[in-house]
Amino acid sequence: MAEALSPDRMQQHIPTRSLLGVFEEDAAAISNYSQKLFQAMNRIYDAQNELSAATHLTSKLLKEYEKQRFPLCSDDEVMSSTLQHFAKVIDELSSCHAVLSTQLADAMMFPITQFKERDLREILTLKEVFQIASDDHDMAINRYSRLSKRRDNEKVKGEVMEDVYTSRKKQHQTMMHYFTALNTLQYKKKIAILEPLLGYMQAQINFFKLGSENLTQQWEDFLTNIGTSVQNVRREMDGEVDVMQQTIQDLEQASDLLYMPDPDPSQVPVNRNLTRKAGYLYRRNKTGLVSSSWERQYFFTQGGNLMGQARGHVAGGLVMDIDNCSVMAVDCEDRRFCFQITSFDGKKVVILQADSRKDCEEWIATINNISKRIYLSENPEEIAARVNQSALEAVTPSPSFQQRHESMRPTTQGRSRAVRTSSVSSVGSETASPALSVLSLDALVAPDTPIQFDIISPVSEEYAGQAKAAGQGRTNPFGESGDTPPEESEDSILHQLFIVRFLGSMEVKNADSSDVIYETMRQILAARAIHNIFRMTESHLLVTCDCLKLIDPQTQVTRLRFPLSSVVVCSSHQENKRLFGFVLQTAEGRVDGRPVTVCYIFESNNDGEKICDSVGLAKQIAFHSEMDRKATEKKEEQDKAKEKQQEELSKQKQIEKDLEEQSRLIAASSRPTPPAPNADGQFLVLSKSQSEDSDAGPEGREKGESEA
């Protein structure tokens, strides 16, 4: 231990000043070291607080994992349950870290902060006060030493001596406190260093004890299981990576020829049987009367639509409807491998450029197949292989409306049988088992039934019926009578309008399930593909609580009306949701004592299930309305019966009241009447005949007068 600094040595030896300098230098070193130690411990405390907050935030995020909506693997309940267990453990650890932060603040930071703010600051303050007292003492000694021997002024001498006394006393007192603080600092230094370390270690020991108490054997088993699961996932990932690497190598070897911008057609043949295609194309955009620009976009087919997606866009947009369109290769002055798509009405033209001749020919063949609506069949590539005649620059055939109308009207039995026979043969060729197809066809579809591909307006049927003789009226091919049914009430609860295209209808045998609709769809689509019938009649389907209407979108004339009570089954296609149909059962035109059952097939721009749901909702509303009507009628009948019963009771009470009144009058008339006094005060005695007349009343008197 260093030698203690004594106030007496200040007066005895001059080297005391040197010893004081050593103590002051030591105090400065202690202050510097304490500042660094305080900063280090403060970093520990801040880090512990940050760890506690981060642990709590981690637990909170793990609890919110099950609320996240990930595009992939969003319903992983095992992962969610595992993270919930982790969140519980980490939450307990967060509580332990919070306790540790509190203990560090009390046991580590408080002592060293007190030493830094109180003890070291006291040393600096006493040093400044001691320096001021020493300066005052030196000034007083200098004044005292300058007193003159000649002029011995007692008053001045007394003042100087008093000043020396005061300054010396102040210096001595300040020096004693200062030296005491410097000596005490040697002990406080040890306490200030050891006490925070002791608190830090004690807090850590308590933290570890608390953690060992919370992390029981159950959590250790859980962590072991999770570690095993992580290792399994890692092994699965490694296996998947190996498979993907092998797949990449195989694809690189197989796609080596495709890397060429214009591959050799002999090595990479053109596939003309596609009904779907996607890839990058250049689109021509006019920028002026004669100038144009080309923009590279990603194009893909979606059903009967050509979609395009520009760079940076999240989703694609509709470029044009390619149903019944025409496509052909064109020769552009500044570009190769170009082809042109023209819409059905000819109002929209799109010119595109492919990267190679093969790609250009495949796009032309694909759009040509889609324009023929081959994609609506069950096996589009097989049908495309039969229908496609390997035309590189093909235009979709568009037969005239008159020819198509004549070919589709089943006016003769021979034409009907021809269509029917070809339809059956095509279906048999498309399925794996022809015998099974014929069996299902005979069980669901009526034999020798023509397929109706177009809607014949009932108005034209009326004009045709007027030209014929009475009793020879024409039967509506849709199984409906020629009479116009009454319009449904305008106050119908449900009014939903859908845009549909009529594909065809045919008579069926069975209407018990939706299988008949699927079979009819297959028959009609196959017949359309075989006979190259691509045009469809577009109508507006109005669903109400009373009926289904097919309305002409241009003239708003009702083409067909189906009573809702006649619709027995309605369903959409299982794969192509745009196709839907319903089975109509009519009481008119019975065949062999059974009603006529016809299946109608349509294509909609929307989801067919929505239309079927709307029809089902309409039937439910109609059913509930009918039940309410019957309940209302029953209630009215009950009210009428109650009113009738009340009237009968009222009549009975009135009869009883009349009988009671009559009995009272009879009883009153049967009592003897006392003689009435005359004017003289005498009583007048009535004779027997007068008494009888009076008893008889007015009727008796009238009878007497009539007898007289």
Side-chain angles (χ1 to χ4, degrees):
M1 179 180 293
E3 183 180 0
L5 185 63
S6 172
D8 297 336
R9 299 190 62 173
M10 192 67 182
Q11 297 178 355
Q12 294 176 3
H13 301 285
I14 296 300
T16 304
R17 288 282 184 177
S18 300
L19 185 61
L20 177 62
V22 173
F23 272 82
E24 289 179 348
E25 184 179 357
D26 182 73
I30 292 175
S31 177
N32 187 23
Y33 179 79
S34 300
Q35 181 67 25
K36 295 179 180 179
L37 185 63
F38 172 79
Q39 293 177 356
M41 291 184 176
N42 192 37
R43 288 182 63 183
I44 295 176
Y45 177 67
D46 293 340
Q48 183 60 40
N49 288 334
E50 182 64 24
L51 179 60
S52 177
T55 308
H56 179 70
L57 179 60
T58 303
S59 174
K60 182 179 178 182
L61 291 176
L62 292 179
K63 292 178 180 178
E64 295 177 352
Y65 176 82
E66 59 183 1
K67 299 179 182 179
Q68 303 299 319
R69 294 294 179 265
F70 297 103
L72 298 177
C73 301
S74 59
D75 296 333
D76 194 351
E77 296 182 358
V78 177
M79 187 67 177
S80 300
S81 176
T82 304
L83 292 183
Q84 290 298 320
H85 284 289
F86 270 114
K88 185 177 180 180
V89 177
I90 295 176
D91 200 8
E92 294 179 0
L93 290 177
S94 176
S95 301
C96 296
H97 282 295
V99 174
L100 178 59
S101 298
T102 304
Q103 292 179 355
L104 290 178
D106 296 337
M108 183 181 70
M109 295 305 300
F110 181 75
I112 195 169
T113 303
Q114 288 291 99
F115 176 73
K116 176 176 175 293
E117 298 293 336
R118 184 183 63 185
D119 298 334
L120 293 180
R121 186 169 294 180
E122 181 184 6
I123 293 294
L124 294 177
T125 303
L126 289 175
K127 181 180 180 180
E128 293 177 357
V129 174
F130 174 71
Q131 187 65 36
I132 293 173
S134 298
D135 294 342
D136 293 341
H137 179 262
D138 292 341
M139 292 176 62
I141 292 297
N142 290 332
R143 288 181 61 190
Y144 180 76
S145 63
R146 288 197 301 268
L147 289 176
S148 177
K149 295 180 179 180
R150 298 177 182 180
R151 297 179 180 180
D152 193 4
N153 191 343
E154 295 294 334
K155 183 177 179 180
V156 175
K157 183 179 179 180
E159 291 179 355
V160 172
M161 292 180 65
E162 182 69 21
D163 191 12
V164 171
Y165 171 80
T166 304
S167 61
R168 184 170 292 176
K169 182 178 180 180
K170 181 178 179 181
Q171 182 192 21
H172 189 257
Q173 292 177 350
T174 304
M175 181 178 57
M176 288 189 295
H177 289 288
Y178 182 44
F179 288 177
T180 302
L182 288 175
N183 290 328
T184 308
L185 183 63
Q186 301 299 318
Y187 300 96
K188 290 183 178 181
K189 174 185 69 174
K190 300 175 182 179
I191 296 174
I193 294 175
L194 295 177
E195 188 175 6
L197 296 177
L198 180 64
Y200 171 75
M201 296 304 299
Q202 190 65 37
Q204 293 290 346
I205 292 172
N206 294 334
F207 172 73
F208 293 137
K209 288 182 178 180
L210 186 62
S212 63
E213 293 175 358
N214 292 333
L215 297 177
T216 59
Q217 184 66 30
Q218 179 182 1
W219 291 115
E220 292 181 3
D221 296 340
F222 170 72
L223 295 178
T224 303
N225 295 333
I226 296 302
T228 304
S229 300
V230 171
Q231 294 298 326
N232 294 334
V233 172
R234 187 179 298 276
R235 282 194 294 270
E236 292 179 3
M237 182 187 67
D238 294 338
E240 187 68 23
V241 169
D242 294 339
V243 172
M244 288 189 291
Q245 291 293 338
Q246 185 63 35
T247 304
I248 291 174
Q249 294 179 3
D250 296 341
L251 289 176
E252 287 180 351
Q253 295 177 1
S255 304
D256 188 53
L257 296 175
L258 299 178
Y259 295 148
M260 295 297 295
D262 192 9
D264 188 1
S266 61
Q267 297 179 354
V268 184
V270 178
N271 188 358
R272 305 183 187 278
N273 303 328
L274 298 176
T275 56
R276 291 183 301 174
K277 189 169 177 59
Y280 281 96
L281 298 172
Y282 283 94
R283 180 177 180 177
R284 183 177 182 180
N285 299 320
K286 287 188 176 181
T287 58
L289 295 177
V290 294
S291 60
S292 61
S293 63
W294 295 84
E295 180 183 3
R296 186 175 176 83
Q297 294 183 6
Y298 182 77
F299 291 87
F300 59 96
T301 60
Q302 189 176 41
N305 298 323
L306 178 63
M307 312 293 289
Q309 182 175 350
R311 292 183 180 272
H313 290 190
V314 180
L318 178 64
V319 177
M320 66 181 303
D321 185 1
I322 55 178
D323 280 344
N324 299 325
C325 72
S326 62
V327 56
M328 61 181 178
V330 293
D331 185 14
C332 295
E333 296 180 356
D334 56 343
R335 298 277 174 157
R336 299 181 302 165
F337 314 131
C338 297
F339 59 96
Q340 175 180 298
I341 307 174
T342 307
S343 62
F344 166 73
D345 53 5
K347 295 182 179 179
K348 188 171 185 179
V349 177
V350 177
I351 298 178
L352 303 173
Q353 181 199 11
D355 294 337
S356 63
R357 183 179 302 277
K358 170 185 173 297
D359 200 19
C360 178
E361 293 179 1
E362 285 187 351
W363 272 104
I364 292 175
T366 302
I367 296 175
N368 189 28
N369 294 333
I370 294 175
S371 67
K372 297 177 182 179
R373 312 189 66 80
I374 298 177
Y375 67 94
L376 298 175
S377 58
E378 289 186 352
N379 299 316
E381 292 189 1
E382 294 182 6
I383 297 177
R386 293 198 308 267
V387 175
N388 193 355
Q389 301 299 326
S390 302
L392 299 180
E393 299 177 357
V395 179
T396 302
S398 301
S400 64
F401 179 82
Q402 183 65 25
Q403 294 176 354
R404 186 171 57 86
H405 187 75
E406 292 295 334
S407 63
M408 288 188 294
R409 287 178 63 91
T411 55
T412 62
Q413 189 70 14
R415 174 60 178 169
S416 302
R417 292 180 179 176
V419 175
R420 178 64 179 162
T421 304
S422 60
S423 175
V424 174
S425 63
S426 66
V427 174
S429 63
E430 290 176 8
T431 57
S433 176
L436 181 60
S437 176
V438 174
L439 179 60
S440 61
L441 186 63
D442 293 339
L444 298 176
V445 181
D448 298 332
T449 301
I451 299 177
Q452 186 72 33
F453 293 109
D454 201 356
I455 296 177
I456 300 178
S457 177
V459 179
S460 62
E461 296 294 328
E462 292 181 3
Y463 290 154
Q466 291 177 3
K468 295 184 178 182
Q472 297 180 354
R474 179 176 175 178
T475 304
N476 194 313
F478 289 93
E480 296 182 349
S481 61
D483 299 335
T484 303
E487 296 292 333
E488 71 275 4
S489 58
E490 294 297 334
D491 56 351
S492 177
I493 300 176
L494 182 66
H495 280 86
Q496 290 188 349
L497 194 66
F498 302 96
I499 300 176
V500 298
R501 289 178 289 276
F502 180 70
L503 292 177
S505 64
M506 59 188 306
E507 186 178 348
V508 295
K509 276 186 175 182
N510 192 354
D512 297 335
S513 64
S514 57
D515 293 337
V516 65
I517 298 179
Y518 304 149
E519 181 65 24
T520 307
M521 287 180 182
R522 193 165 66 91
Q523 294 291 332
I524 292 177
L525 292 177
R528 278 181 168 269
I530 291 173
H531 296 285
N532 293 331
I533 302 175
F534 308 117
R535 301 291 181 85
M536 294 181 294
T537 304
E538 185 172 283
S539 303
H540 289 173
L541 177 63
L542 177 63
V543 181
T544 65
C545 298
D546 299 324
C547 65
L548 305 180
K549 277 187 174 185
L550 284 179
I551 302 174
D552 190 338
Q554 297 180 355
T555 62
Q556 299 300 317
V557 175
T558 302
R559 290 173 172 170
L560 289 176
R561 181 182 185 277
F562 308 107
L564 194 61
S565 58
S566 302
V567 179
V568 292
V569 181
C570 184
S571 177
S572 62
H573 197 273
Q574 295 177 345
E575 298 179 358
N576 189 357
K577 298 300 182 180
R578 295 173 60 184
L579 297 179
F580 74 98
F582 55 83
V583 178
L584 186 71
Q585 197 171 49
T586 59
E588 296 84 358
R590 290 177 175 267
V591 179
D592 298 334
R594 63 178 181 84
V596 177
T597 305
V598 183
C599 182
Y600 297 87
I601 306 300
F602 297 89
E603 181 192 23
S604 173
N605 294 336
N606 302 323
D607 194 349
E609 291 183 358
K610 295 181 180 179
I611 301 178
C612 295
D613 293 341
S614 178
V615 175
L617 178 62
K619 292 183 71 68
Q620 289 182 4
I621 294 175
F623 174 74
H624 289 298
S625 299
E626 183 66 19
M627 295 298 293
D628 294 341
R629 185 184 64 80
K630 291 182 178 180
T632 304
E633 291 179 355
K634 186 176 180 180
K635 185 177 180 181
E636 290 178 355
E637 291 177 357
Q638 292 177 355
D639 293 342
K640 289 181 180 179
K642 289 181 180 180
E643 290 178 0
K644 187 176 181 180
Q645 187 178 2
Q646 291 291 339
E647 290 178 359
E648 291 179 356
L649 290 175
S650 299
K651 289 180 181 180
Q652 186 68 23
K653 290 181 180 181
Q654 186 65 29
I655 292 172
E656 292 177 356
K657 186 176 181 182
D658 293 343
L659 291 175
E660 183 180 355
E661 183 66 23
Q662 187 175 3
S663 300
R664 188 178 63 78
L665 292 176
I666 293 173
S669 61
S670 62
R671 290 196 299 268
T673 304
N678 54 10
D680 299 335
Q682 298 179 354
F683 291 94
L684 181 63
V685 180
L686 298 175
S687 63
K688 183 178 181 180
S689 61
Q690 292 176 345
S691 177
E692 291 177 355
D693 295 340
S694 64
D695 293 339
E699 295 180 356
R701 286 194 298 271
E702 291 178 357
K703 183 177 181 182
E705 291 176 357
S706 62
E707 290 178 355

